[in-house]
Amino acid sequence: MVAFLGTGLLGANFVKALLKKGNQVQVWNRTAAKASALEADGARAFADVAAAVKGADIIHLTLKDDAAVNEVLAAARKGLKPGAIIVDHTTTSAAGAIQRTREWKEQGFTYLHAPVFMGPINALESTGYMLVSGDQAVVSQLEPVLSQMTGKVLNFGAEEGKAAGMKLIGNLFLVTFTAGIADTLSLAKALHIPLDDLNTLFDSWNPGAMLAARLQRVAGGKYDQPSWELNMARKDTQLFMDAAAQGGTTFAVIPAIASEMDKWIAKGHGNDDWTVIGKDAATK
């Protein structure tokens, strides 16, 4: 028996996929109608979270944040069967995941944080990525179950909370990447360049292919052999901002990057490779 707590877009499709694989699934959601809607697919919906977890061997969670996870699990506690396994797919802090792992173990339960890089379609199709870390005996026990829910389970080793940290890093990259796309579109708008031309450029020149090498360059700590000097990068950044201002558009992140460049130029790094702006982050 499986219980699923939190049946929003992601959770609902996880439930549907579990049902298609022949699992009995009991569901709960803070907005009861979202859980009840899954009864048409074969789930059993409960208005009370403690009732929803009763008899379940594994309880999955897809909730909002640390506070929601703590609140819902506290409310579900009286319904948990002895030795039940809690698998939390919520994006949370690393500290919260570590604390819950310890506290639930002390109470006789297994808690594993398993955040995902999966959208609703991935959850329905069992594709995408699920991250785990911590007690490797627990990971080994649950990996066959988790592998059925996703395309790939990425195991980051024995360190508690590391999966949570990796999820946050991945989401940070998605946020900054998307903000960069927004600024790219803003500059294109200011310069009256259509989307089709952007597609032509990026179909031929794929900067994403440079990611691994750029990560190593920024983190490597050697900036005195530039391929693009910081002074020149800052000059181009000013051209971006001037063109946007003239075209009546605004940027989300470029002004902050320009400010960071100015700080490093003021420190005397104008002739270094422009990746020097990541020096503080790269320094251990």
Side-chain angles (χ1 to χ4, degrees):
M1 176 75 72
V2 176
F4 217 104
L5 311 181
T7 55
L9 294 174
L10 188 67
N13 277 358
F14 266 135
V15 169
K16 291 175 183 178
L18 287 168
L19 290 167
K20 287 179 181 179
K21 293 180 175 68
N23 295 282
Q24 292 181 295
V25 186
Q26 300 179 168
V27 296
W28 172 90
N29 194 76
R30 195 181 303 275
T31 302
K34 291 184 178 180
S36 299
L38 290 166
E39 291 188 319
D41 296 282
R44 292 185 63 200
F46 293 82
D48 177 63
V49 67
V53 302
K54 193 165 293 184
D57 299 301
I58 300 180
I59 299 90
H60 295 271
L61 295 87
T62 51
L63 301 171
K64 180 183 178 182
D65 53 22
D66 286 288
V69 172
N70 291 336
E71 178 186 347
V72 170
L73 285 178
R77 172 66 178 84
K78 64 182 179 182
L80 293 173
K81 67 185 294 185
I85 297 169
I86 301 163
V87 181
D88 184 8
H89 306 290
T90 308
T91 299
T92 70
S93 67
I98 294 169
Q99 181 179 352
R100 281 185 291 276
T101 302
R102 182 184 70 252
E103 290 180 349
W104 286 97
K105 183 177 182 179
E106 291 171 353
Q107 296 181 59
F109 301 96
T110 296
Y111 172 95
L112 179 68
H113 190 228
V116 300
F117 289 116
M118 300 170 67
I121 296 301
N122 297 116
L124 185 62
E125 297 177 347
S126 302
T127 58
Y129 300 89
M130 187 174 293
L131 318 182
V132 294
S133 69
D135 187 329
Q136 292 298 285
V138 171
V139 171
S140 295
Q141 176 189 356
L142 292 176
E143 195 161 5
V145 174
L146 301 180
S147 294
Q148 294 179 24
M149 298 176 66
T150 186
K152 188 174 182 63
V153 176
L154 299 177
N155 182 356
F156 287 99
E159 183 180 339
E160 302 288 357
K162 193 169 186 178
M166 296 302 296
K167 169 63 174 174
L168 292 178
I169 289 170
N171 277 9
L172 180 145
F173 184 85
L174 290 176
V175 168
T176 53
F177 180 63
T178 302
I181 291 174
D183 280 2
T184 300
L185 292 172
S186 289
L187 182 57
K189 182 178 180 180
L191 296 172
H192 308 292
I193 294 174
L195 181 61
D196 286 347
D197 287 338
L198 294 184
N199 288 330
T200 298
L201 172 64
F202 292 120
D203 280 345
S204 298
W205 175 63
N206 178 17
M210 307 174 191
L211 177 59
R214 184 56 54 87
L215 181 63
Q216 292 302 314
R217 181 69 184 262
V218 175
K222 293 182 66 64
Y223 312 103
D224 59 354
Q225 296 181 0
S227 60
W228 192 18
E229 290 183 356
L230 178 57
N231 282 327
M232 298 302 291
R234 179 61 179 89
K235 178 267 296 182
D236 287 1
T237 302
Q238 191 62 47
L239 290 175
F240 311 156
M241 295 193 293
D242 291 346
Q246 293 166 11
T249 63
T250 59
F251 286 138
V253 295
I254 287 297
I257 295 171
S259 178
E260 189 66 19
M261 288 176 168
D262 288 339
K263 291 178 184 178
W264 284 94
I265 290 171
K267 294 177 183 179
H269 293 280
N271 293 325
D272 286 338
D273 191 84
W274 80 286
T275 56
V276 72
I277 66 173
K279 183 177 180 179
D280 286 346
T283 302
K284 296 182 180 179

